[in-house]
Amino acid sequence: MENITIDAYKPERDKAAIRIMLSGDEYFGETFQENEANFQDGIFVARYNDLTIGFLSLNNYKRGRGAGTTIFVSEEYRRVGIGTKLINKADKLLSQYDAVERSIGACIDGDRFSLQFLYKNGYYISHSMYFMERKGGPLTESIFLIRHYEDDDYLTWHSISQMAFYKMREHVGILPSFYYTSSESERKSFLENKNNRFVMLVDGEIVAVGVIAGNEVQLVAVRIDLQSRGYGRAFVSFLVNEIIRRGEKVVKLGVVKGNPAKKLYDHLGFNEKSLYHIMNRYYKPESRMSRPPNENM
């Protein structure tokens, strides 16, 4: 198609058209809303005959190792090269920033056309994720002590969460395996978001950590030597109830396909809504640690 331009996003011109495009896709709709609120300078639109017919949305693309990349084209304008123009724009932008090592995207299960398009452009499936939701009343809570995160918790929190997710990725076969080291910038961001972060204590020691965001259980991690003792169930129940206490009617979460924790979420009343494949494309070599620094070689 001729006369297609890729322009910077203008909410007054483009927002309504993008909302219509995404009306049937909850995952991409929520991703766009988050990016519009936090990374509006990373949104670009495909325009044809004064119509907005597709968009590219990038988050964290100027400083983060992994830049979230969303490309969406209105259904009636697909298969005519618009997606290619948008992905070329993403490549041009992401390749110029030294910090960006990889682009991270997602494709809903069963969308063979989009998967083929992404494979053709250098993406591969890193892992797959179920997005689940729960409706209904509060869950039964335990007597475990759970409190808000405090700054002094940082190193313990970091160790618990990084080891738990490292072992989970190892279990399900996510490659490359990786482990993030602690940092002062992360510590600062945790403290700024302390009202949404919680720790569970047993005999005065932190045994689990968790995060909520809006109506989503965003993270739950139990110390690896204390798993399968009921702490995860108790903590998830608390986080679900905290979200309900804040006025939400539906609680959401995402879980990696193959993660044994999915059985817990099934038992707590969460239902599968969709399955997405998480895709990566590398621009520079991986610099994350491939294993925890104290793990035996």
PDB file of all heavy atoms in Angstrom, residues 160-181:
ATOM      1  N   ILE A 160      15.150 -13.880  47.801  1.00  0.00           N
ATOM      2  CA  ILE A 160      14.019 -14.815  47.727  1.00  0.00           C
ATOM      3  C   ILE A 160      13.393 -14.803  46.341  1.00  0.00           C
ATOM      4  O   ILE A 160      13.172 -15.858  45.725  1.00  0.00           O
ATOM      5  CB  ILE A 160      12.967 -14.473  48.799  1.00  0.00           C
ATOM      6  CG1 ILE A 160      13.499 -14.824  50.193  1.00  0.00           C
ATOM      7  CG2 ILE A 160      11.647 -15.218  48.538  1.00  0.00           C
ATOM      8  CD1 ILE A 160      12.595 -14.370  51.322  1.00  0.00           C
ATOM      9  N   SER A 161      13.091 -13.624  45.816  1.00  0.00           N
ATOM     10  CA  SER A 161      12.398 -13.543  44.531  1.00  0.00           C
ATOM     11  C   SER A 161      13.283 -14.011  43.382  1.00  0.00           C
ATOM     12  O   SER A 161      12.836 -14.766  42.513  1.00  0.00           O
ATOM     13  CB  SER A 161      11.897 -12.119  44.279  1.00  0.00           C
ATOM     14  OG  SER A 161      12.973 -11.207  44.230  1.00  0.00           O
ATOM     15  N   GLN A 162      14.543 -13.578  43.367  1.00  0.00           N
ATOM     16  CA  GLN A 162      15.419 -13.981  42.266  1.00  0.00           C
ATOM     17  C   GLN A 162      15.680 -15.484  42.258  1.00  0.00           C
ATOM     18  O   GLN A 162      15.664 -16.117  41.191  1.00  0.00           O
ATOM     19  CB  GLN A 162      16.733 -13.213  42.337  1.00  0.00           C
ATOM     20  CG  GLN A 162      16.612 -11.754  41.907  1.00  0.00           C
ATOM     21  CD  GLN A 162      16.184 -11.621  40.454  1.00  0.00           C
ATOM     22  OE1 GLN A 162      16.698 -12.299  39.570  1.00  0.00           O
ATOM     23  NE2 GLN A 162      15.233 -10.730  40.211  1.00  0.00           N
ATOM     24  N   MET A 163      15.909 -16.087  43.425  1.00  0.00           N
ATOM     25  CA  MET A 163      16.152 -17.524  43.468  1.00  0.00           C
ATOM     26  C   MET A 163      14.906 -18.311  43.101  1.00  0.00           C
ATOM     27  O   MET A 163      14.983 -19.315  42.374  1.00  0.00           O
ATOM     28  CB  MET A 163      16.639 -17.941  44.860  1.00  0.00           C
ATOM     29  CG  MET A 163      18.089 -17.585  45.141  1.00  0.00           C
ATOM     30  SD  MET A 163      19.254 -18.292  43.936  1.00  0.00           S
ATOM     31  CE  MET A 163      18.886 -20.048  44.070  1.00  0.00           C
ATOM     32  N   ALA A 164      13.744 -17.871  43.577  1.00  0.00           N
ATOM     33  CA  ALA A 164      12.510 -18.592  43.265  1.00  0.00           C
ATOM     34  C   ALA A 164      12.235 -18.584  41.771  1.00  0.00           C
ATOM     35  O   ALA A 164      11.891 -19.623  41.181  1.00  0.00           O
ATOM     36  CB  ALA A 164      11.339 -17.976  44.028  1.00  0.00           C
ATOM     37  N   PHE A 165      12.396 -17.433  41.141  1.00  0.00           N
ATOM     38  CA  PHE A 165      12.101 -17.363  39.709  1.00  0.00           C
ATOM     39  C   PHE A 165      13.204 -17.981  38.865  1.00  0.00           C
ATOM     40  O   PHE A 165      12.941 -18.522  37.789  1.00  0.00           O
ATOM     41  CB  PHE A 165      11.803 -15.919  39.303  1.00  0.00           C
ATOM     42  CG  PHE A 165      10.424 -15.490  39.691  1.00  0.00           C
ATOM     43  CD1 PHE A 165      10.196 -14.795  40.859  1.00  0.00           C
ATOM     44  CD2 PHE A 165       9.332 -15.829  38.909  1.00  0.00           C
ATOM     45  CE1 PHE A 165       8.916 -14.428  41.247  1.00  0.00           C
ATOM     46  CE2 PHE A 165       8.041 -15.475  39.276  1.00  0.00           C
ATOM     47  CZ  PHE A 165       7.833 -14.772  40.448  1.00  0.00           C
ATOM     48  N   TYR A 166      14.449 -17.923  39.348  1.00  0.00           N
ATOM     49  CA  TYR A 166      15.530 -18.622  38.655  1.00  0.00           C
ATOM     50  C   TYR A 166      15.247 -20.123  38.621  1.00  0.00           C
ATOM     51  O   TYR A 166      15.355 -20.776  37.563  1.00  0.00           O
ATOM     52  CB  TYR A 166      16.863 -18.342  39.352  1.00  0.00           C
ATOM     53  CG  TYR A 166      17.996 -19.195  38.853  1.00  0.00           C
ATOM     54  CD1 TYR A 166      18.614 -18.924  37.635  1.00  0.00           C
ATOM     55  CD2 TYR A 166      18.449 -20.286  39.595  1.00  0.00           C
ATOM     56  CE1 TYR A 166      19.654 -19.717  37.169  1.00  0.00           C
ATOM     57  CE2 TYR A 166      19.488 -21.081  39.135  1.00  0.00           C
ATOM     58  CZ  TYR A 166      20.084 -20.799  37.929  1.00  0.00           C
ATOM     59  OH  TYR A 166      21.109 -21.576  37.471  1.00  0.00           O
ATOM     60  N   LYS A 167      14.874 -20.690  39.759  1.00  0.00           N
ATOM     61  CA  LYS A 167      14.583 -22.124  39.820  1.00  0.00           C
ATOM     62  C   LYS A 167      13.345 -22.472  38.992  1.00  0.00           C
ATOM     63  O   LYS A 167      13.284 -23.542  38.371  1.00  0.00           O
ATOM     64  CB  LYS A 167      14.396 -22.558  41.278  1.00  0.00           C
ATOM     65  CG  LYS A 167      15.666 -22.523  42.109  1.00  0.00           C
ATOM     66  CD  LYS A 167      16.705 -23.502  41.586  1.00  0.00           C
ATOM     67  CE  LYS A 167      17.921 -23.556  42.487  1.00  0.00           C
ATOM     68  NZ  LYS A 167      18.972 -24.484  41.960  1.00  0.00           N
ATOM     69  N   MET A 168      12.334 -21.578  38.981  1.00  0.00           N
ATOM     70  CA  MET A 168      11.150 -21.839  38.164  1.00  0.00           C
ATOM     71  C   MET A 168      11.522 -21.865  36.682  1.00  0.00           C
ATOM     72  O   MET A 168      11.109 -22.762  35.928  1.00  0.00           O
ATOM     73  CB  MET A 168      10.078 -20.770  38.430  1.00  0.00           C
ATOM     74  CG  MET A 168       8.772 -20.964  37.662  1.00  0.00           C
ATOM     75  SD  MET A 168       8.787 -20.309  35.965  1.00  0.00           S
ATOM     76  CE  MET A 168       8.880 -18.543  36.298  1.00  0.00           C
ATOM     77  N   ARG A 169      12.301 -20.865  36.233  1.00  0.00           N
ATOM     78  CA  ARG A 169      12.706 -20.834  34.822  1.00  0.00           C
ATOM     79  C   ARG A 169      13.525 -22.071  34.455  1.00  0.00           C
ATOM     80  O   ARG A 169      13.368 -22.632  33.372  1.00  0.00           O
ATOM     81  CB  ARG A 169      13.479 -19.553  34.540  1.00  0.00           C
ATOM     82  CG  ARG A 169      12.617 -18.299  34.549  1.00  0.00           C
ATOM     83  CD  ARG A 169      13.396 -17.081  34.077  1.00  0.00           C
ATOM     84  NE  ARG A 169      14.350 -16.625  35.065  1.00  0.00           N
ATOM     85  CZ  ARG A 169      14.115 -15.663  35.957  1.00  0.00           C
ATOM     86  NH1 ARG A 169      12.933 -15.067  35.997  1.00  0.00           N
ATOM     87  NH2 ARG A 169      15.036 -15.303  36.819  1.00  0.00           N
ATOM     88  N   GLU A 170      14.381 -22.492  35.383  1.00  0.00           N
ATOM     89  CA  GLU A 170      15.177 -23.702  35.159  1.00  0.00           C
ATOM     90  C   GLU A 170      14.253 -24.916  35.034  1.00  0.00           C
ATOM     91  O   GLU A 170      14.458 -25.789  34.175  1.00  0.00           O
ATOM     92  CB  GLU A 170      16.137 -23.877  36.337  1.00  0.00           C
ATOM     93  CG  GLU A 170      17.214 -24.914  36.132  1.00  0.00           C
ATOM     94  CD  GLU A 170      18.172 -24.946  37.309  1.00  0.00           C
ATOM     95  OE1 GLU A 170      17.712 -25.199  38.456  1.00  0.00           O
ATOM     96  OE2 GLU A 170      19.377 -24.692  37.107  1.00  0.00           O
ATOM     97  N   HIS A 171      13.216 -24.974  35.868  1.00  0.00           N
ATOM     98  CA  HIS A 171      12.285 -26.107  35.870  1.00  0.00           C
ATOM     99  C   HIS A 171      11.513 -26.205  34.555  1.00  0.00           C
ATOM    100  O   HIS A 171      11.334 -27.304  34.017  1.00  0.00           O
ATOM    101  CB  HIS A 171      11.306 -25.964  37.042  1.00  0.00           C
ATOM    102  CG  HIS A 171      10.216 -26.996  37.060  1.00  0.00           C
ATOM    103  ND1 HIS A 171      10.415 -28.270  37.525  1.00  0.00           N
ATOM    104  CD2 HIS A 171       8.911 -26.936  36.654  1.00  0.00           C
ATOM    105  CE1 HIS A 171       9.285 -28.962  37.414  1.00  0.00           C
ATOM    106  NE2 HIS A 171       8.357 -28.168  36.895  1.00  0.00           N
ATOM    107  N   VAL A 172      11.053 -25.087  34.033  1.00  0.00           N
ATOM    108  CA  VAL A 172      10.229 -25.121  32.825  1.00  0.00           C
ATOM    109  C   VAL A 172      11.054 -25.030  31.546  1.00  0.00           C
ATOM    110  O   VAL A 172      10.508 -25.159  30.448  1.00  0.00           O
ATOM    111  CB  VAL A 172       9.146 -24.018  32.836  1.00  0.00           C
ATOM    112  CG1 VAL A 172       8.276 -24.130  34.071  1.00  0.00           C
ATOM    113  CG2 VAL A 172       9.766 -22.632  32.750  1.00  0.00           C
ATOM    114  N   GLY A 173      12.355 -24.778  31.674  1.00  0.00           N
ATOM    115  CA  GLY A 173      13.217 -24.775  30.497  1.00  0.00           C
ATOM    116  C   GLY A 173      13.282 -23.468  29.743  1.00  0.00           C
ATOM    117  O   GLY A 173      13.496 -23.463  28.527  1.00  0.00           O
ATOM    118  N   ILE A 174      13.100 -22.328  30.437  1.00  0.00           N
ATOM    119  CA  ILE A 174      13.224 -21.031  29.781  1.00  0.00           C
ATOM    120  C   ILE A 174      14.708 -20.741  29.546  1.00  0.00           C
ATOM    121  O   ILE A 174      15.511 -20.784  30.468  1.00  0.00           O
ATOM    122  CB  ILE A 174      12.599 -19.909  30.625  1.00  0.00           C
ATOM    123  CG1 ILE A 174      11.087 -20.125  30.770  1.00  0.00           C
ATOM    124  CG2 ILE A 174      12.881 -18.543  30.018  1.00  0.00           C
ATOM    125  CD1 ILE A 174      10.406 -19.120  31.674  1.00  0.00           C
ATOM    126  N   LEU A 175      15.046 -20.445  28.295  1.00  0.00           N
ATOM    127  CA  LEU A 175      16.424 -20.131  27.929  1.00  0.00           C
ATOM    128  C   LEU A 175      16.488 -18.777  27.235  1.00  0.00           C
ATOM    129  O   LEU A 175      15.581 -18.433  26.471  1.00  0.00           O
ATOM    130  CB  LEU A 175      16.985 -21.219  27.005  1.00  0.00           C
ATOM    131  CG  LEU A 175      17.136 -22.617  27.623  1.00  0.00           C
ATOM    132  CD1 LEU A 175      17.537 -23.624  26.558  1.00  0.00           C
ATOM    133  CD2 LEU A 175      18.149 -22.587  28.757  1.00  0.00           C
ATOM    134  N   PRO A 176      17.550 -17.980  27.456  1.00  0.00           N
ATOM    135  CA  PRO A 176      18.635 -18.291  28.391  1.00  0.00           C
ATOM    136  C   PRO A 176      18.187 -18.111  29.838  1.00  0.00           C
ATOM    137  O   PRO A 176      17.370 -17.252  30.139  1.00  0.00           O
ATOM    138  CB  PRO A 176      19.707 -17.265  28.022  1.00  0.00           C
ATOM    139  CG  PRO A 176      18.924 -16.090  27.505  1.00  0.00           C
ATOM    140  CD  PRO A 176      17.752 -16.681  26.780  1.00  0.00           C
ATOM    141  N   SER A 177      18.737 -18.947  30.702  1.00  0.00           N
ATOM    142  CA  SER A 177      18.478 -18.778  32.127  1.00  0.00           C
ATOM    143  C   SER A 177      19.184 -17.512  32.600  1.00  0.00           C
ATOM    144  O   SER A 177      20.216 -17.131  32.052  1.00  0.00           O
ATOM    145  CB  SER A 177      18.989 -19.994  32.888  1.00  0.00           C
ATOM    146  OG  SER A 177      18.693 -19.894  34.253  1.00  0.00           O
ATOM    147  N   PHE A 178      18.626 -16.853  33.609  1.00  0.00           N
ATOM    148  CA  PHE A 178      19.252 -15.607  34.047  1.00  0.00           C
ATOM    149  C   PHE A 178      18.936 -15.323  35.504  1.00  0.00           C
ATOM    150  O   PHE A 178      18.004 -15.888  36.085  1.00  0.00           O
ATOM    151  CB  PHE A 178      18.817 -14.425  33.177  1.00  0.00           C
ATOM    152  CG  PHE A 178      17.332 -14.155  33.195  1.00  0.00           C
ATOM    153  CD1 PHE A 178      16.779 -13.318  34.143  1.00  0.00           C
ATOM    154  CD2 PHE A 178      16.494 -14.740  32.263  1.00  0.00           C
ATOM    155  CE1 PHE A 178      15.417 -13.064  34.164  1.00  0.00           C
ATOM    156  CE2 PHE A 178      15.124 -14.488  32.276  1.00  0.00           C
ATOM    157  CZ  PHE A 178      14.591 -13.651  33.224  1.00  0.00           C
ATOM    158  N   TYR A 179      19.734 -14.423  36.071  1.00  0.00           N
ATOM    159  CA  TYR A 179      19.596 -14.010  37.460  1.00  0.00           C
ATOM    160  C   TYR A 179      20.032 -12.552  37.536  1.00  0.00           C
ATOM    161  O   TYR A 179      21.107 -12.187  37.055  1.00  0.00           O
ATOM    162  CB  TYR A 179      20.495 -14.866  38.353  1.00  0.00           C
ATOM    163  CG  TYR A 179      20.435 -14.541  39.829  1.00  0.00           C
ATOM    164  CD1 TYR A 179      19.588 -15.240  40.673  1.00  0.00           C
ATOM    165  CD2 TYR A 179      21.240 -13.546  40.383  1.00  0.00           C
ATOM    166  CE1 TYR A 179      19.534 -14.952  42.034  1.00  0.00           C
ATOM    167  CE2 TYR A 179      21.189 -13.247  41.741  1.00  0.00           C
ATOM    168  CZ  TYR A 179      20.332 -13.959  42.559  1.00  0.00           C
ATOM    169  OH  TYR A 179      20.275 -13.676  43.895  1.00  0.00           O
ATOM    170  N   TYR A 180      19.185 -11.694  38.120  1.00  0.00           N
ATOM    171  CA  TYR A 180      19.519 -10.280  38.278  1.00  0.00           C
ATOM    172  C   TYR A 180      20.201 -10.046  39.617  1.00  0.00           C
ATOM    173  O   TYR A 180      19.741 -10.552  40.649  1.00  0.00           O
ATOM    174  CB  TYR A 180      18.267  -9.403  38.212  1.00  0.00           C
ATOM    175  CG  TYR A 180      17.728  -9.174  36.827  1.00  0.00           C
ATOM    176  CD1 TYR A 180      16.494  -9.695  36.450  1.00  0.00           C
ATOM    177  CD2 TYR A 180      18.441  -8.426  35.909  1.00  0.00           C
ATOM    178  CE1 TYR A 180      15.986  -9.469  35.172  1.00  0.00           C
ATOM    179  CE2 TYR A 180      17.942  -8.190  34.631  1.00  0.00           C
ATOM    180  CZ  TYR A 180      16.719  -8.718  34.276  1.00  0.00           C
ATOM    181  OH  TYR A 180      16.228  -8.492  33.006  1.00  0.00           O
ATOM    182  N   THR A 181      21.288  -9.288  39.616  1.00  0.00           N
ATOM    183  CA  THR A 181      21.930  -8.913  40.865  1.00  0.00           C
ATOM    184  C   THR A 181      21.186  -7.720  41.475  1.00  0.00           C
ATOM    185  O   THR A 181      20.434  -7.019  40.800  1.00  0.00           O
ATOM    186  CB  THR A 181      23.402  -8.541  40.630  1.00  0.00           C
ATOM    187  OG1 THR A 181      23.476  -7.512  39.640  1.00  0.00           O
ATOM    188  CG2 THR A 181      24.189  -9.754  40.169  1.00  0.00           C
TER     189      THR A 181
END
